[in-house]
Amino acid sequence: MSTTWHILGAGSLGTLWAARLARAGLPVRLILRDEARLASYQAAPGLTLVEQGVAHTYPVIAETPDSPQPIQRLLVACKAYDAQNAVAQLQHRLAPDAELILLQNGLGSQDAVAAQLPQARCIFASSTEGAFRDGDWRVVFAGHGYTWLGDTGHPTPPLWLDDLEAAGIPHEWSTDILTRLWRKLALNCAINPLTVLYQCRNGELQAHQCEVATLCAELSELLECCGQPAAAVDLQHEVERVIHATAANYSSMYQDVANARRTEISYLLGYACQAAARHRLNLPHLQQLHVRLVDELLARRLPHD
Ligand code: NAP
């Protein structure tokens, strides 16, 4: 009998994973916020995943954090700012050798969760898949991609990667997951805050090439100082490539702000600035960018942490 996949958070990525695992016949249980969210879910026919315009509904079983069953494997699919509290609510249910897969973007939340659960195995993930909610319990699979998974403490891949294979979730075990997460964080810091400040699509940053280049130089310095030289290699070229390749897109941070949603700033640009301060690195443009972004969020009455 396969181990149950408990999925914490039935948002975009949680639903994308839950639907594909359930479709492959694997045991899945969703953990929803509270009784009210559970009642709302139970009034729906299940989780609906829309792929290439075709919707399929999967009647995945759901529960609240108060449910009594022990948890052996937990996919944490909340936003970075919710992960630590959401996992804390489940701490009493986690088996001593439980495994957690942390899907959060940026850095900081993974270490916070791992520190709270010294016995558990925490696997960090970095995903280029894209999904968004277009209704309650309904998610659109918008961008095919890859998920890299890795464990900074133990290089051995877990056996359940076979489940991902069976579910058709493109993935790769990575022995340098921190480098991947730092690289993605640096790309995000060079692009996303500017799209919020200039209120533009990614491609319009081509008109701000000098500013982007200055940020890339400071981010490269930071990566090297933080022991991540591989994440700094050719950063500016990759940032320019991403700006070009995603020219028509609005960044995730732009979309969060446009929809008056909380951003993950503290785990992206905020994390980078804190790391710079820890290393007594003076990165004036990055720090100024952080101040400008915080001011913009305050002006829009959005959380700035
Ligand atoms: P999302 O759609 O906002 O989903 C987050 C879910 O977590 C929501 O359903 C929320 O519940 C739930 N949640 C929060 N606190 C909870 C708690 N205490 N108990 C149970 N559920 C809780 O977010 P997302 O877009 O999937 O993003 C998740 C992470 O993946 C983020 O760090 C994001 O940056 C990263 N990521 C996302 C994508 C993407 O394409 N979406 C791609 C790559 C990486 P409610 O529904 O009740 O609010």
PDB file of all heavy atoms in Angstrom, residues 8 11 31 52 65 77-78 102 124 160 180 200 222 257 284 286 302 304:
ATOM      1  N   LEU A   8      -1.003  20.040   2.054  1.00  0.00           N
ATOM      2  CA  LEU A   8      -1.385  21.168   2.910  1.00  0.00           C
ATOM      3  C   LEU A   8      -1.542  22.409   2.042  1.00  0.00           C
ATOM      4  O   LEU A   8      -0.554  22.974   1.567  1.00  0.00           O
ATOM      5  CB  LEU A   8      -0.295  21.368   3.977  1.00  0.00           C
ATOM      6  CG  LEU A   8      -0.471  22.524   4.951  1.00  0.00           C
ATOM      7  CD1 LEU A   8      -1.795  22.433   5.699  1.00  0.00           C
ATOM      8  CD2 LEU A   8       0.693  22.544   5.949  1.00  0.00           C
ATOM      9  N   GLY A  11      -4.436  25.355  -2.976  1.00  0.00           N
ATOM     10  CA  GLY A  11      -4.380  26.494  -3.898  1.00  0.00           C
ATOM     11  C   GLY A  11      -3.892  26.020  -5.256  1.00  0.00           C
ATOM     12  O   GLY A  11      -4.151  24.875  -5.649  1.00  0.00           O
ATOM     13  N   ILE A  31      -5.445  18.864   3.154  1.00  0.00           N
ATOM     14  CA  ILE A  31      -5.665  19.457   4.476  1.00  0.00           C
ATOM     15  C   ILE A  31      -6.042  20.916   4.259  1.00  0.00           C
ATOM     16  O   ILE A  31      -5.235  21.708   3.752  1.00  0.00           O
ATOM     17  CB  ILE A  31      -4.417  19.328   5.361  1.00  0.00           C
ATOM     18  CG1 ILE A  31      -4.030  17.846   5.471  1.00  0.00           C
ATOM     19  CG2 ILE A  31      -4.678  19.930   6.741  1.00  0.00           C
ATOM     20  CD1 ILE A  31      -2.779  17.575   6.273  1.00  0.00           C
ATOM     21  N   GLN A  52      -5.232  22.589 -21.030  1.00  0.00           N
ATOM     22  CA  GLN A  52      -5.509  22.886 -22.440  1.00  0.00           C
ATOM     23  C   GLN A  52      -6.999  23.067 -22.692  1.00  0.00           C
ATOM     24  O   GLN A  52      -7.564  22.508 -23.629  1.00  0.00           O
ATOM     25  CB  GLN A  52      -4.932  21.791 -23.338  1.00  0.00           C
ATOM     26  CG  GLN A  52      -3.431  21.946 -23.456  1.00  0.00           C
ATOM     27  CD  GLN A  52      -2.705  20.647 -23.765  1.00  0.00           C
ATOM     28  OE1 GLN A  52      -3.313  19.584 -23.802  1.00  0.00           O
ATOM     29  NE2 GLN A  52      -1.419  20.744 -23.972  1.00  0.00           N
ATOM     30  N   PRO A  65      -6.910  20.406   9.836  1.00  0.00           N
ATOM     31  CA  PRO A  65      -5.720  20.032  10.617  1.00  0.00           C
ATOM     32  C   PRO A  65      -6.070  19.194  11.855  1.00  0.00           C
ATOM     33  O   PRO A  65      -5.224  18.457  12.363  1.00  0.00           O
ATOM     34  CB  PRO A  65      -5.125  21.394  11.022  1.00  0.00           C
ATOM     35  CG  PRO A  65      -5.579  22.320   9.946  1.00  0.00           C
ATOM     36  CD  PRO A  65      -6.950  21.848   9.568  1.00  0.00           C
ATOM     37  N   ALA A  77       2.029  23.198   0.403  1.00  0.00           N
ATOM     38  CA  ALA A  77       1.730  23.978  -0.808  1.00  0.00           C
ATOM     39  C   ALA A  77       1.124  25.334  -0.471  1.00  0.00           C
ATOM     40  O   ALA A  77       0.337  25.885  -1.232  1.00  0.00           O
ATOM     41  CB  ALA A  77       0.802  23.175  -1.720  1.00  0.00           C
ATOM     42  N   CYS A  78       1.506  25.883   0.683  1.00  0.00           N
ATOM     43  CA  CYS A  78       1.037  27.230   1.075  1.00  0.00           C
ATOM     44  C   CYS A  78       2.018  28.265   0.544  1.00  0.00           C
ATOM     45  O   CYS A  78       3.098  27.938   0.071  1.00  0.00           O
ATOM     46  CB  CYS A  78       1.053  27.388   2.592  1.00  0.00           C
ATOM     47  SG  CYS A  78       0.217  26.117   3.471  1.00  0.00           S
ATOM     48  N   LEU A 102       8.682  20.922   0.512  1.00  0.00           N
ATOM     49  CA  LEU A 102       8.379  22.344   0.664  1.00  0.00           C
ATOM     50  C   LEU A 102       8.415  23.015  -0.704  1.00  0.00           C
ATOM     51  O   LEU A 102       9.476  23.130  -1.317  1.00  0.00           O
ATOM     52  CB  LEU A 102       9.391  22.974   1.626  1.00  0.00           C
ATOM     53  CG  LEU A 102       9.533  22.255   2.977  1.00  0.00           C
ATOM     54  CD1 LEU A 102      10.645  22.870   3.822  1.00  0.00           C
ATOM     55  CD2 LEU A 102       8.216  22.288   3.750  1.00  0.00           C
ATOM     56  N   PHE A 124      13.466  20.330  -0.132  1.00  0.00           N
ATOM     57  CA  PHE A 124      13.175  21.638  -0.722  1.00  0.00           C
ATOM     58  C   PHE A 124      12.867  21.438  -2.202  1.00  0.00           C
ATOM     59  O   PHE A 124      13.494  20.601  -2.864  1.00  0.00           O
ATOM     60  CB  PHE A 124      14.375  22.585  -0.610  1.00  0.00           C
ATOM     61  CG  PHE A 124      14.805  22.936   0.801  1.00  0.00           C
ATOM     62  CD1 PHE A 124      14.204  22.366   1.914  1.00  0.00           C
ATOM     63  CD2 PHE A 124      15.818  23.865   1.008  1.00  0.00           C
ATOM     64  CE1 PHE A 124      14.605  22.698   3.208  1.00  0.00           C
ATOM     65  CE2 PHE A 124      16.226  24.213   2.291  1.00  0.00           C
ATOM     66  CZ  PHE A 124      15.620  23.624   3.390  1.00  0.00           C
ATOM     67  N   TRP A 160       9.856   7.625  -3.170  1.00  0.00           N
ATOM     68  CA  TRP A 160       8.566   8.089  -3.701  1.00  0.00           C
ATOM     69  C   TRP A 160       8.688   8.957  -4.951  1.00  0.00           C
ATOM     70  O   TRP A 160       7.675   9.385  -5.509  1.00  0.00           O
ATOM     71  CB  TRP A 160       7.734   8.795  -2.626  1.00  0.00           C
ATOM     72  CG  TRP A 160       8.440   9.838  -1.825  1.00  0.00           C
ATOM     73  CD1 TRP A 160       8.870   9.714  -0.543  1.00  0.00           C
ATOM     74  CD2 TRP A 160       8.789  11.168  -2.240  1.00  0.00           C
ATOM     75  NE1 TRP A 160       9.474  10.881  -0.142  1.00  0.00           N
ATOM     76  CE2 TRP A 160       9.433  11.782  -1.161  1.00  0.00           C
ATOM     77  CE3 TRP A 160       8.615  11.894  -3.409  1.00  0.00           C
ATOM     78  CZ2 TRP A 160       9.908  13.089  -1.215  1.00  0.00           C
ATOM     79  CZ3 TRP A 160       9.084  13.196  -3.474  1.00  0.00           C
ATOM     80  CH2 TRP A 160       9.724  13.777  -2.400  1.00  0.00           C
ATOM     81  N   ARG A 180      19.925  26.232  -6.904  1.00  0.00           N
ATOM     82  CA  ARG A 180      18.748  26.495  -7.751  1.00  0.00           C
ATOM     83  C   ARG A 180      17.827  27.534  -7.110  1.00  0.00           C
ATOM     84  O   ARG A 180      17.304  28.417  -7.782  1.00  0.00           O
ATOM     85  CB  ARG A 180      17.939  25.206  -7.965  1.00  0.00           C
ATOM     86  CG  ARG A 180      18.607  24.290  -8.911  1.00  0.00           C
ATOM     87  CD  ARG A 180      17.664  23.250  -9.475  1.00  0.00           C
ATOM     88  NE  ARG A 180      18.404  22.491 -10.448  1.00  0.00           N
ATOM     89  CZ  ARG A 180      18.570  22.855 -11.719  1.00  0.00           C
ATOM     90  NH1 ARG A 180      17.987  23.933 -12.180  1.00  0.00           N
ATOM     91  NH2 ARG A 180      19.295  22.129 -12.533  1.00  0.00           N
ATOM     92  N   CYS A 200       4.591  47.360 -15.236  1.00  0.00           N
ATOM     93  CA  CYS A 200       4.775  46.920 -16.621  1.00  0.00           C
ATOM     94  C   CYS A 200       4.897  45.402 -16.744  1.00  0.00           C
ATOM     95  O   CYS A 200       5.054  44.691 -15.753  1.00  0.00           O
ATOM     96  CB  CYS A 200       6.016  47.590 -17.202  1.00  0.00           C
ATOM     97  SG  CYS A 200       7.568  47.021 -16.481  1.00  0.00           S
ATOM     98  N   LEU A 222      26.363  39.355  -4.027  1.00  0.00           N
ATOM     99  CA  LEU A 222      25.695  38.732  -2.875  1.00  0.00           C
ATOM    100  C   LEU A 222      25.804  37.207  -2.941  1.00  0.00           C
ATOM    101  O   LEU A 222      26.121  36.542  -1.948  1.00  0.00           O
ATOM    102  CB  LEU A 222      24.213  39.156  -2.844  1.00  0.00           C
ATOM    103  CG  LEU A 222      23.366  38.489  -1.763  1.00  0.00           C
ATOM    104  CD1 LEU A 222      23.815  38.927  -0.371  1.00  0.00           C
ATOM    105  CD2 LEU A 222      21.877  38.810  -1.945  1.00  0.00           C
ATOM    106  N   VAL A 257       0.195  42.171  -6.603  1.00  0.00           N
ATOM    107  CA  VAL A 257      -0.108  43.571  -6.270  1.00  0.00           C
ATOM    108  C   VAL A 257      -1.371  44.026  -7.012  1.00  0.00           C
ATOM    109  O   VAL A 257      -2.268  44.648  -6.421  1.00  0.00           O
ATOM    110  CB  VAL A 257       1.107  44.481  -6.599  1.00  0.00           C
ATOM    111  CG1 VAL A 257       0.749  45.946  -6.476  1.00  0.00           C
ATOM    112  CG2 VAL A 257       2.277  44.131  -5.675  1.00  0.00           C
ATOM    113  N   PRO A 284      23.854  49.153  -2.498  1.00  0.00           N
ATOM    114  CA  PRO A 284      22.941  50.306  -2.396  1.00  0.00           C
ATOM    115  C   PRO A 284      21.730  50.210  -3.317  1.00  0.00           C
ATOM    116  O   PRO A 284      20.629  50.602  -2.915  1.00  0.00           O
ATOM    117  CB  PRO A 284      23.836  51.495  -2.775  1.00  0.00           C
ATOM    118  CG  PRO A 284      25.041  50.928  -3.437  1.00  0.00           C
ATOM    119  CD  PRO A 284      25.220  49.548  -2.902  1.00  0.00           C
ATOM    120  N   LEU A 286      20.232  47.485  -4.550  1.00  0.00           N
ATOM    121  CA  LEU A 286      19.307  46.440  -4.094  1.00  0.00           C
ATOM    122  C   LEU A 286      18.530  46.936  -2.868  1.00  0.00           C
ATOM    123  O   LEU A 286      17.309  46.752  -2.765  1.00  0.00           O
ATOM    124  CB  LEU A 286      20.112  45.184  -3.751  1.00  0.00           C
ATOM    125  CG  LEU A 286      19.332  43.884  -3.764  1.00  0.00           C
ATOM    126  CD1 LEU A 286      18.854  43.553  -5.171  1.00  0.00           C
ATOM    127  CD2 LEU A 286      20.183  42.743  -3.231  1.00  0.00           C
ATOM    128  N   LEU A 302      -0.976  47.453   1.241  1.00  0.00           N
ATOM    129  CA  LEU A 302      -0.738  46.007   1.218  1.00  0.00           C
ATOM    130  C   LEU A 302       0.335  45.672   2.258  1.00  0.00           C
ATOM    131  O   LEU A 302       1.198  46.510   2.539  1.00  0.00           O
ATOM    132  CB  LEU A 302      -0.247  45.573  -0.162  1.00  0.00           C
ATOM    133  CG  LEU A 302      -1.300  45.576  -1.261  1.00  0.00           C
ATOM    134  CD1 LEU A 302      -0.672  45.269  -2.615  1.00  0.00           C
ATOM    135  CD2 LEU A 302      -2.378  44.549  -0.950  1.00  0.00           C
ATOM    136  N   HIS A 304       3.736  44.705   3.861  1.00  0.00           N
ATOM    137  CA  HIS A 304       5.058  44.882   3.259  1.00  0.00           C
ATOM    138  C   HIS A 304       6.049  43.877   3.856  1.00  0.00           C
ATOM    139  O   HIS A 304       7.248  44.053   3.735  1.00  0.00           O
ATOM    140  CB  HIS A 304       5.544  46.320   3.433  1.00  0.00           C
ATOM    141  CG  HIS A 304       5.666  46.726   4.868  1.00  0.00           C
ATOM    142  ND1 HIS A 304       4.582  47.150   5.599  1.00  0.00           N
ATOM    143  CD2 HIS A 304       6.715  46.763   5.696  1.00  0.00           C
ATOM    144  CE1 HIS A 304       4.985  47.415   6.834  1.00  0.00           C
ATOM    145  NE2 HIS A 304       6.276  47.190   6.910  1.00  0.00           N
TER     146      HIS A 304
END
